[in-house]
Amino acid sequence: MNNAQPSRGSLFSVGGKNYLMPFILVTALFFLWGFAHSILDVLNKHFQEAFDMTKTRSALVQAMVYGGYFLMALPAGLIIRRWGYRAGVCAGLGLYGIGALMFVPGSQIGSFEFFLLSLFVIGCGLTCLETAANPYVTVLGDDKWAERRINIAQSFNGLGWIIGPVVGGLCVLGGGNIALPYAVVGVVVLLILGVFVVVKLPEVTPAIDESTTSPCADRPLLRQSHFVFGLVALFFYVAAQTGINSFFINYADECAGVDKNAAALWLGFLGMGLFMLGRMGGSFLMKYLSPERLLLFFAIGASVAMLIIMTLSGRLGFYAFFVCFLCESIMFPTIFALAIRGLGRHTKMASSLLIMCIVGGAVAPLLMGFIADTSGLMSLAFSVPLICFVVIAAFALAYRRCLSRSGHGPA
């Protein structure tokens, strides 16, 4: 990758236009879905105890949220293509806020199924937010810095991942009211919706940057090899991340002798803290290493961590999680940005299809819960994310060849 400063613009500008303020505004949204996802990992353990259910059944918490991604991704893409990025953001904030506030009557009803419905609505809202925000930050400046911009934005997503387990551990596992954190979030999200209703976001057409220099940008998406492999890699990444986070507290409690409340704090402060720092550091390292090469190194590191978790349970296995959290940090934004590189007018549709792949988060927890329930070995369940990281390493290793096969030349 060329490390020289691009002539057409900088990190947040292109063609004389400065996109710093829209970038800041949209980046704030990344925190919101980070919080929403990370608190699920606490809910998983809470529902196991509150409703006396198996790990497999409790994994329906993740399945409902990530299932919403699969069902809502294409409608979200249609909204964005017809009415623009701001419409996608507003639709997402509205659904997110409604779903969060549904936890208030849900806590009175006391029905696991009603909680699942609330989480599904939240998942649909998060789908709209991610379908709009992820590709939007990649086009708010020179395309050569797209991977760096999305990693910077995703760092604030990491901040949400820190706070979610901490709030969940104190309010939910600590015996508090499960509705309280969701009620507060619901009100805040609807207030932010009010801001986006009145604020105008510039619509940026990525075809200006890429399709004019790459005659292959008009090829059908399924003939873009780097995009197709990116779909597969993103599915496996979200599967790995969700599965690991879902059963981290179970592993800590059953295999390492760490109290569940303490484990939630470990997950929030150290695990997700490293996750956030990794994204910031990754953005810096991309000045010197190509994104796909950095992705390969991190995928190998995560694979080694999973092997340790599977074979050396106890404190050593517990500490290996934190190596994995650091290695996971750059994976989602980097895979996403690499997959949509050079797609020009196809970028919005490609984004919708990539967001659909987040449904991987619905599959892995169920599979891991089944393995743990049937084998009686929580550590064995982490063979699932191990396989996922191997696939991601293969994507990073083959990326340049796939990009060339798609006709775009080297990244």
Side-chain angles (χ1 to χ4, degrees), residues 146-206:
E147 293 87 1
R148 289 190 64 197
R149 279 195 302 276
I150 196 170
N151 270 281
I152 292 170
Q154 288 277 0
S155 297
F156 290 87
N157 175 261
L159 181 61
W161 281 92
I162 293 173
I163 294 177
V166 174
V167 171
L170 295 174
C171 296
V172 180
L173 294 181
N177 186 353
I178 191 174
L180 179 60
Y182 278 96
V184 173
V185 168
V187 171
V188 170
V189 166
L190 292 179
L191 288 174
I192 295 174
L193 170 60
V195 173
F196 274 90
V197 167
V198 298
V199 170
K200 219 173 171 183
L201 294 178
E203 285 293 322
V204 184
T205 305

Side-chain angles (χ1 to χ4, degrees), residues 265-286:
L265 295 177
W266 276 91
L267 177 61
F269 284 117
L270 184 57
M272 296 300 105
L274 289 170
F275 187 79
M276 179 179 176
L277 290 174
R279 283 188 170 167
M280 290 181 173
S283 178
F284 173 77
L285 289 174
M286 285 178 193

Side-chain angles (χ1 to χ4, degrees), residues 4-326:
Q5 287 289 338
S7 60
R8 287 178 297 152
S10 64
L11 197 59
F12 304 112
S13 66
V14 66
K17 294 183 179 179
N18 190 304
Y19 295 115
L20 179 59
M21 286 310 298
F23 178 85
I24 292 173
L25 192 60
V26 174
T27 294
L29 300 174
F30 284 70
F31 170 84
L32 294 177
W33 72 71
F35 178 90
H37 284 303
S38 61
I39 201 172
L40 294 179
D41 308 323
V42 175
L43 287 182
N44 191 296
K45 180 65 173 175
H46 168 73
F47 286 136
Q48 288 175 29
E49 298 177 351
F51 293 99
D52 190 26
M53 62 179 60
T54 64
K55 294 181 179 69
T56 307
R57 181 165 169 75
S58 71
L60 288 172
V61 167
Q62 276 80 9
M64 291 302 290
V65 172
Y66 290 100
Y69 275 85
F70 183 76
L71 294 175
M72 191 65 188
L74 288 179
L78 290 173
I79 292 171
I80 294 165
R81 287 196 300 278
R82 179 154 188 182
W83 292 291
Y85 288 110
R86 185 174 69 161
V89 168
C90 290
L93 289 171
L95 288 169
Y96 184 175
I98 292 170
L101 292 177
M102 286 173 65
F103 267 73
V104 177
S107 65
Q108 301 299 316
I109 297 171
S111 165
F112 180 59
E113 288 72 20
F114 189 85
F115 283 125
L116 291 180
L117 175 61
S118 305
L119 291 168
F120 177 76
V121 175
I122 291 175
C124 290
L126 299 180
T127 307
C128 293
L129 287 180
E130 293 210 48
T131 304
N134 279 302
Y136 192 52
V137 297
T138 69
V139 298
L140 287 175
D142 196 287
D143 59 275
K144 290 188 178 181
W145 300 113
E147 293 87 1
R148 289 190 64 197
R149 279 195 302 276
I150 196 170
N151 270 281
I152 292 170
Q154 288 277 0
S155 297
F156 290 87
N157 175 261
L159 181 61
W161 281 92
I162 293 173
I163 294 177
V166 174
V167 171
L170 295 174
C171 296
V172 180
L173 294 181
N177 186 353
I178 191 174
L180 179 60
Y182 278 96
V184 173
V185 168
V187 171
V188 170
V189 166
L190 292 179
L191 288 174
I192 295 174
L193 170 60
V195 173
F196 274 90
V197 167
V198 298
V199 170
K200 219 173 171 183
L201 294 178
E203 285 293 322
V204 184
T205 305
I208 295 174
D209 295 330
E210 288 288 355
S211 65
T212 57
T213 60
S214 175
C216 299
D218 286 331
R219 282 185 178 180
L221 279 175
L222 294 182
R223 290 185 60 196
Q224 307 273 1
S225 300
H226 70 294
F227 171 71
V228 174
F229 204 167
L231 285 175
V232 175
L234 200 67
F235 176 92
F236 279 96
Y237 167 70
V238 179
Q241 183 194 37
T242 309
I244 290 167
N245 292 353
S246 298
F247 293 108
F248 170 83
I249 296 176
N250 283 99
Y251 184 98
D253 185 28
E254 299 172 21
C255 303
V258 178
D259 176 74
K260 64 180 182 180
N261 294 312
L265 295 177
W266 276 91
L267 177 61
F269 284 117
L270 184 57
M272 296 300 105
L274 289 170
F275 187 79
M276 179 179 176
L277 290 174
R279 283 188 170 167
M280 290 181 173
S283 178
F284 173 77
L285 289 174
M286 285 178 193
K287 291 172 64 178
Y288 309 101
L289 289 173
S290 66
E292 64 271 17
R293 182 169 298 181
L294 192 62
L295 179 63
L296 175 62
F297 292 155
F298 277 40
I300 292 172
S303 300
V304 172
M306 285 300 103
L307 284 171
I308 294 173
I309 289 166
M310 290 175 59
T311 58
L312 299 173
S313 60
R315 286 288 175 153
L316 190 56
F318 178 71
Y319 295 141
F321 275 101
F322 302 104
V323 176
C324 182
F325 291 139
L326 180 64

